[in-house]
Amino acid sequence: EPVVTCYDRGLRTDEGKSTVTATVSSDIFEASDNVAVASRTCVPSLSGTFPVGVTEFECTAVDTSGNDRSCTASLEVVDGEKPALVCEDIAIDLPEGASEGPASFAVSASDNVDGDVTSSVVCSLASGSTLAIGTHAVTCSVSDAAGNVGDCAWTITMVDTTDPVVTCPARATLSMAEDEDQAYFEIPASINVTDNSGETLPVTCDTQVGAALGEGEHAVVCSATDAFDNTDACELTVVVV
């Protein structure tokens, strides 16, 4: 009789598929004979498309004298591919005057074997969470039935749509130093700036700090701009005496 050897082998699914297409004859079944092996056959065929799980093969060798010997081989196909998530950075405009708001989003996920696994996605924050002005990092992950984990990282930007409020006094006075006929501009401390973000915003004026101003009245416009380029300005009269 022939001498036959059957093996247990393993393969991973083809990329993006729930199966593997392969020919595994020499890897899974060997046969020899003291004279010659006339035929080697396995049921099912060792060449084809195999699903996730274990496929068993009944393999038989027949020598030239008609003697036969059989054994059972197996091929285990495993899912080694991570689920794929669709995550995209999003921006949400906050209502006028708001410093925070709800962030609603959707993340989808699919798997080569399990199909749609969106319902199993877990994120670092829940859709509808209240977020403050600014950019927030989010991570999401999902596992398939084989234990493969896919993940993604993205951001939610809560966009401030509200201008700051800049308030100027009607007049501000600068005094000339003794023996000088000019004063040097400074931003008046009495300019008040408020912003819905709660941040302290710097004030800039169309007259440069340190600029020389002669005696008399000078119209100056001062403004403040927040991180989202919302801006407000006011005008005051600087009196040099």
Side-chain angles (χ1 to χ4, degrees), residues 85-92 101-109 118 120-131 136-141 152-158:
L85 294 89
V86 179
C87 300
E88 296 179 347
D89 296 344
I90 62 172
I92 299 173
S104 298
F105 60 87
V107 174
S108 62
T118 299
S120 299
V121 173
V122 177
C123 294
S124 56
L125 60 85
S127 178
S129 297
T130 299
L131 299 179
H136 306 265
V138 184
T139 56
C140 297
S141 64
C152 64
W154 52 292
T155 61
I156 299 174
T157 300
M158 305 302 284

Side-chain angles (χ1 to χ4, degrees), residues 27 33 46 66 89 91 110 113 131 151 159 181 188 190 206 214 216 222-223 240:
D27 296 328
D33 188 75
L46 295 178
D89 296 344
S110 60
V113 174
L131 299 179
D151 56 25
V159 180
D181 58 0
S190 53
D206 60 359
C222 296
S223 63
V240 176

Side-chain angles (χ1 to χ4, degrees), residues 20-44:
V20 62
T21 299
T23 298
V24 292
S25 54
S26 60
D27 296 328
I28 212 166
F29 175 50
E30 294 179 347
S32 61
D33 188 75
N34 62 326
V35 178
V37 176
S39 65
R40 299 174 177 83
T41 58
C42 290
V43 178

Side-chain angles (χ1 to χ4, degrees), residues 145-211:
N148 302 302
V149 179
D151 56 25
C152 64
W154 52 292
T155 61
I156 299 174
T157 300
M158 305 302 284
V159 180
D160 180 6
T161 62
T162 304
D163 292 338
V165 177
V166 182
T167 306
C168 292
R171 299 167 72 85
T173 302
L174 287 177
S175 298
M176 294 183 290
E178 188 175 352
D179 299 329
E180 290 198 29
D181 58 0
Q182 58 189 15
Y184 301 97
F185 179 71
E186 296 176 357
I187 296 175
S190 53
I191 295 177
N192 184 60
V193 180
T194 59
D195 188 62
N196 60 315
S197 68
E199 299 291 329
T200 299
L201 304 181
V203 175
T204 59
C205 299
D206 60 359
T207 299
Q208 187 175 353
V209 172

